[in-house]
Amino acid sequence: MAATAFIILAAGIGSRMASDQPKVLHRAGGRSLLGHVLSAVKALDPAEVCVVVGPEMDAVANEAQSIVPNARTVVQTERNGTAHAANMAKDELSDFDGTIVVMFGDGPLITSETLSELVSVVNGDADMALLGFEAADPHGYGRFIIENGSLVAIREEKDASAVEREITLCNSGVTATSANILWPLLARVGNDNAQGEYYLTDLVELAAGDGLKVAHTVCSEDEVQGVNSRAQLAQIEARLQDRYRARAMAGGATLIAPETVFLSHDTEIGRDVMIEPNVVALGGVRIGDGAVVRAFSHLEGAEIGPGCIVGPYARLRPGTRLAKGAKVGNFVEIKNAQLEQGSKVNHLTYIGDARIGEGANIGAGTITCNYDGFNKHFTDIGKNAFVGSNSALVAPVKIGDGAFVGSGSVVTRDVPEDALALARGRQEERPGWAARFRALQ
Ligand code: UD1
Ligand code: MG
């Protein structure tokens, strides 16, 4: 692909979102709307990316640069329309003379394949190309006016005649042309229309009037769905989840009830993985081959090794690393901890800031007391150690390889290798006490 630059328009605040944050920072599938758009763009290895943001949108600029580190950002201080917004990028891209794609930052479902197809049309014999779609309900969209097979104008809803409003082939907003066509034409766009705005869509009529060849490609409506409300954000989330579930299943995972499993854009799932119903994977989760994630488990920033069994009702928080064959059972929370091969934490336990050695067994109700109100401390549990139920391990503390901790212990000192630590009240018996007690009632 010849050198391509992308201008992403993201100055809209999204007033119908009823939110304090800019629209493009709202999240779906575990990342911002802008993040989805930029990752589709990034896959095409663009020469330049310029994001047009509104005033006081430093957070949007930061988000853009977190995904495309050399992305440029410019501020559009007044919202005068899509052509006005695109023109804001002119100074930033003044040295660029390849193909420029102008698109919106709030359409997270667009794929790099669709963008690449549009760009190839402009890199072929077309001077300009627009991405269109057949709208189930075209209301609100700009309509493609086609004469003798070629695109001659785009008519915005508010400017369209009754006949034009019947047209269902609509503008997605993605426009590709070359730099030497874009900038002169943008300078000629006026604002004599129903909304008093500078419309990017006017480029088509200007180009066609100059005798340039204006082409279009068509994608599915789903791919260009934008977000203007929380309800549409939820629709986008549903579409993304369908994609992520399909990807997991295509990769060899069984999802018993896929519609109840929620994944993220970066969830990695191996072959022959089994995911039971009602599992949530937030960002940064990797699940190795043959692992089983049982129902109602909640995962974030966790790496689950091959053959592990997790849940039901497990909570794996960021920094959890389960080596091959480790087991984490019900009502167990793990944070920033490494479980080495074959270790088991099966019931009602909190493990935070710890290492659990190979083959170690952590009994029900064990708590690593990792926090003293100011700092976090580490618990190190050796290979094949056995921690009895209902023990509190007060960090920093080390349980040696092969050591035993008696049930109900509060361990405050290191336990040597192969030792038994008992740190609990000693049991007393008083023979006949219960019978005497009953007799007194
Ligand atoms: C636009 C298109 C319309 C298309 C529709 C697809 C124009 C004139 N119309 O209409 O043909 O069918 O999108 O969804 O282009 N923006 C700015 N600064 C501005 C104005 C807009 O950054 O001054 C950004 C918005 O944040 C938004 C995008 O451009 O992301 C589109 O603007 P919007 O007002 O939603 O345009 P539509 O009326 O939906
Ligand atoms: Mg819109």
Side-chain angles (χ1 to χ4, degrees):
M1 200 166 83
T4 309
F6 287 82
I7 301 173
I8 318 284
L9 308 188
I13 51 164
S15 46
R16 280 166 55 205
M17 300 295 282
S19 171
D20 291 335
Q21 71 172 337
K23 178 167 75 173
V24 294
L25 293 186
H26 284 269
R27 297 170 79 81
R31 83 171 148 206
S32 68
L33 303 179
L34 182 64
H36 286 283
V37 172
L38 286 176
S39 88
V41 163
K42 192 179 175 181
L44 302 178
D45 195 18
E48 296 283 355
V49 174
C50 185
V51 183
V52 180
V53 303
E56 291 165 31
M57 285 196 189
D58 291 351
V60 177
N62 292 340
E63 173 73 356
Q65 276 147 6
S66 77
I67 294 155
V68 179
N70 61 351
R72 299 160 186 267
T73 56
V74 292
V75 179
Q76 182 195 26
T77 45
E78 283 169 278
R79 209 173 174 284
N80 287 335
T82 46
H84 179 255
N87 205 42
M88 293 293 123
K90 189 176 172 186
D91 288 347
E92 289 293 331
L93 300 181
S94 57
D95 293 335
F96 179 81
D97 66 359
T99 299
I100 298 184
V101 178
V102 183
M103 60 192 289
F104 303 153
D106 65 351
L109 300 179
I110 192 100
T111 62
S112 31
E113 291 75 23
T114 295
L115 291 173
S116 158
E117 189 192 339
L118 188 76
V119 168
S120 68
V121 171
V122 172
N123 290 344
D125 67 348
D127 297 301
M128 183 180 287
L130 284 94
L131 178 62
F133 64 100
E134 278 294 339
D137 171 12
H139 182 84
Y141 292 117
R143 312 296 208 280
F144 275 6
I145 311 292
I146 296 191
E147 281 173 15
N148 302 324
S150 61
L151 186 58
V152 294
I154 296 177
R155 197 79 71 231
E156 291 304 298
E157 170 84 21
K158 288 184 177 147
D159 303 287
S161 68
V163 174
E164 287 167 340
R165 283 183 189 177
E166 297 295 312
I167 297 169
T168 52
L169 184 58
C170 293
N171 176 32
S172 70
V174 189
T175 306
T177 187
S178 60
N180 61 2
I181 293 175
L182 179 68
W183 305 120
L185 286 191
L186 275 180
R188 285 162 56 195
V189 171
N191 65 348
D192 181 17
N193 53 52
Q195 301 186 83
E197 284 187 2
Y198 295 87
Y199 291 165
L200 185 66
T201 45
D202 282 358
L203 292 183
V204 171
E205 204 161 349
L206 290 169
D210 285 358
L212 297 177
K213 183 169 162 54
V214 184
H216 69 276
T217 59
V218 176
C219 70
S220 79
E221 180 163 15
D222 284 344
E223 230 189 284
V224 290
Q225 190 185 343
V227 176
N228 292 308
S229 63
R230 304 273 179 169
Q232 284 174 339
L233 185 64
Q235 288 166 10
I236 293 286
E237 180 75 57
R239 300 288 313 162
L240 289 170
Q241 290 301 334
D242 283 344
R243 283 188 191 171
Y244 302 156
R245 293 163 186 152
R247 184 173 70 194
M249 292 187 281
T254 294
L255 275 56
I256 295 175
E259 68 283 7
T260 69
V261 172
F262 290 83
L263 307 172
S264 289
H265 68 98
D266 61 353
T267 310
E268 289 178 30
I269 304 178
R271 280 165 74 96
D272 293 316
V273 166
M274 162 71 88
I275 300 185
E276 292 185 358
N278 297 297
V279 167
V280 175
L282 302 182
V285 170
R286 289 167 64 181
I287 305 175
D289 293 349
V292 178
V293 182
R294 297 206 189 284
F296 295 99
S297 293
H298 191 277
L299 319 172
E300 180 177 13
E303 196 172 304
I304 298 172
C308 288
I309 300 177
V310 171
Y313 298 97
R315 180 169 184 210
L316 303 186
R317 292 172 51 204
T320 297
R321 301 276 172 268
L322 309 186
K324 188 173 173 184
K327 288 188 182 158
V328 174
N330 43 274
F331 307 108
V332 171
E333 175 179 346
I334 300 188
K335 182 215 74 166
N336 189 33
Q338 191 175 339
L339 269 65
E340 294 181 350
Q341 191 164 334
S343 58
K344 294 180 196 158
V345 185
N346 274 337
H347 331 266
L348 298 156
T349 289
Y350 173 65
I351 301 291
D353 304 302
R355 174 187 75 102
I356 312 290
E358 186 178 330
N361 191 319
I362 309 300
T366 298
I367 305 289
T368 53
C369 309
N370 61 327
Y371 187 48
D372 58 15
F374 298 95
N375 294 301
K376 302 284 168 66
H377 301 283
F378 194 75
T379 300
D380 188 70
I381 300 177
K383 183 173 174 180
N384 294 329
F386 185 97
V387 176
S389 296
N390 200 33
S391 294
L393 310 176
V394 183
V397 73
K398 182 174 159 94
I399 314 290
D401 288 356
F404 264 64
V405 171
S407 295
S409 290
V410 177
V411 179
T412 55
R413 291 198 307 264
D414 289 355
V415 179
E417 207 177 296
D418 290 327
L420 168 67
L422 291 170
R424 62 189 186 206
R426 193 173 278 278
Q427 185 168 324
E428 279 179 34
E429 297 89 36
R430 299 178 187 180
W433 183 94
R436 288 197 299 279
F437 177 72
R438 272 194 299 275
L440 288 171
Q441 303 309 311

